[in-house]
Amino acid sequence: MDKFTSMRAFNAVVMEGSFTKAASRLEISPQLISKYIGQLEESLQVRLLNRTTRRVHLTEAGQSYFERCQQILQDIDNMENDLTNLQNQVTGTLRVSVPMSFGIHHLSNPITEFQQRYPEMRVELFLTDRKVDLLDEGIDVALRIGHLKSSTLVAKKITPIRLSLCAAPQYWTQHGIPQDLVALSQLNYLRFTYSDLRSLLVDWPKSVSIQDFKSDFASNNGDVIVNMAMQGRGYAIQPTFLTGQALARGELVALEHFPIESLGLYALYSHREFLASKVRHFIDFLSEYYGDTPYWDKTGQLDELKLPNKGY
């Protein structure tokens, strides 16, 4: 059995949702697709797919294998693309979707440098916090911030995204510094509508309910939330690429004793047999530009503010 051929057949079935569509995509017969899947399951001694008359569904084992299979096939394709496109020029139009606040604050300079390096590249940048359909909207690559979830898209982590729990110094002075989640829940949370507070704060105790948290303001834009926090309206949990300058100026003060789950900046693109050279070069450029520690996190940590503890 050709393991890689069977893996590609399996991957195509999952991506297309049916044996027939997968066969059309790979330009082979549905019977041969079925044979490859059967051989793969026999080799692994596990069922990967549950078949119905209309659609196929991944088993738990199939979901795990699909994620690993995607990465292996992607690595093979990348290796072959590196050789095939070694001498290719990076040209054409690159359509990029990016979260609004991140795009406004931190993407103009790298795109400028990218186009200086590849002067024949044209870039169309779309700022939106909604999830876009890459194929339907003709997007080459989407930058997204969060935790990597199972998807039919290929995702590559560009750089880590740290979050800070912070408020204006006068807010902490007036209300005191909370020492645990119970005390924190009694303060005013300036909520970002696209995030789940429970998924951000680590070591969430069973005794604390999300309904216990007070909040009189929410927005789908991080810049607005940071500005509200600077005005002393409450505390916020926002990325350091938005809060960093205010923290450095002392307009916001972060509490370090609340552990917060880090996120990541990911580049998402449609799975293709041969990744376009312009997309590959752009993703590689951003990875190099931001690095393992992005520039907005290299200014050093601020000391925790020492304020009176008002009974918390």
Side-chain angles (χ1 to χ4, degrees):
M1 179 187 68
D2 184 341
K3 181 63 72 69
F4 289 114
T5 300
S6 297
M7 290 172 65
R8 289 192 184 278
F10 170 71
N11 188 70
V13 170
V14 176
M15 297 287 290
E16 298 297 338
S18 77
F19 281 54
T20 302
K21 291 181 179 179
S24 176
R25 172 177 171 173
L26 297 180
E27 299 181 341
I28 58 179
S29 68
Q31 292 79 13
L32 193 52
I33 288 283
S34 181
K35 177 182 177 181
Y36 286 142
I37 300 301
Q39 290 177 339
L40 192 59
E41 291 179 329
E42 181 66 22
S43 172
L44 297 171
Q45 290 294 294
V46 67
R47 179 173 290 278
L48 300 174
L49 298 169
N50 288 321
R51 306 149 174 87
T52 66
T53 56
R54 299 183 59 185
R55 194 166 176 84
V56 295
H57 301 274
L58 284 168
T59 64
E60 182 178 0
Q63 178 65 51
S64 177
Y65 188 78
F66 172 65
E67 294 172 1
R68 299 287 185 88
C69 180
Q70 264 201 323
Q71 185 61 54
I72 292 171
L73 293 177
Q74 177 191 345
D75 289 342
I76 293 173
D77 286 344
N78 287 344
M79 177 183 65
E80 295 178 348
N81 287 339
D82 285 342
L83 297 175
T84 302
N85 299 322
L86 187 61
Q87 302 301 324
N88 286 1
Q89 293 184 346
V90 183
T91 61
T93 300
L94 183 69
R95 294 166 58 87
V96 183
S97 173
V98 61
M100 183 169 294
S101 292
F102 184 84
I104 291 173
H105 291 284
H106 298 287
L107 210 54
S108 297
N109 288 343
I111 286 181
T112 297
E113 291 189 23
F114 178 72
Q115 290 186 288
Q116 288 173 344
R117 182 179 298 185
Y118 305 107
E120 296 186 21
M121 275 300 307
R122 297 182 299 276
V123 176
E124 293 183 6
L125 189 64
F126 301 89
L127 302 180
T128 177
D129 290 322
R130 68 178 179 84
K131 293 182 179 179
V132 299
D133 188 306
L134 272 64
L135 294 178
D136 286 350
E137 300 183 40
I139 300 297
D140 293 301
V141 58
L143 301 183
R144 286 292 173 261
I145 295 171
H147 296 291
L148 180 60
K149 298 181 180 179
S150 298
S151 172
T152 56
L153 298 175
V154 181
K156 178 178 179 180
K157 187 174 182 179
I158 300 297
T159 194
I161 299 294
R162 290 180 54 250
L163 299 174
S164 62
L165 191 160
C166 55
Q170 65 266 27
Y171 187 82
W172 297 133
T173 300
Q174 179 180 356
H175 298 279
I177 298 179
Q179 298 301 318
D180 53 37
L181 287 182
V182 175
L184 184 67
S185 68
Q186 301 307 301
L187 304 182
N188 191 37
Y189 174 45
L190 304 174
R191 184 170 60 88
F192 183 57
T193 54
Y194 291 131
S195 67
D196 176 14
L197 184 62
R198 182 181 285 272
S199 68
L200 299 179
L201 294 171
V202 180
D203 299 328
W204 189 288
K206 294 182 179 180
S207 59
V208 179
S209 169
I210 190 67
Q211 284 75 29
D212 295 334
F213 279 78
K214 297 180 179 179
S215 176
D216 68 2
F217 181 80
S219 175
N220 65 347
N221 182 267
D223 284 291
V224 174
I225 291 177
V226 171
N227 288 335
M228 294 287 283
M230 290 168 60
Q231 295 175 33
R233 291 280 291 108
Y235 70 92
I237 302 178
Q238 285 293 304
T240 52
F241 66 74
L242 288 182
T243 62
Q245 291 187 1
L247 290 169
R249 293 192 299 261
E251 296 170 331
L252 290 175
V253 174
L255 302 186
E256 304 294 342
H257 57 275
F258 285 100
I260 302 175
E261 191 77 28
S262 293
L263 306 178
L265 174 67
Y266 292 91
L268 281 72
Y269 54 95
S270 301
H271 183 76
R272 297 171 181 151
E273 293 300 323
F274 299 102
L275 180 63
S277 181
K278 61 183 180 181
V279 176
R280 179 168 55 87
H281 279 79
F282 181 68
I283 293 173
D284 290 345
F285 177 85
L286 290 185
S287 298
E288 175 188 343
Y289 185 89
Y290 295 121
D292 294 333
T293 303
Y295 59 84
W296 56 80
D297 283 338
K298 290 181 178 179
T299 55
Q301 300 293 327
L302 295 178
D303 291 334
E304 182 176 328
L305 185 65
K306 305 299 182 183
L307 292 174
N309 190 312
K310 289 195 169 186
Y312 290 112

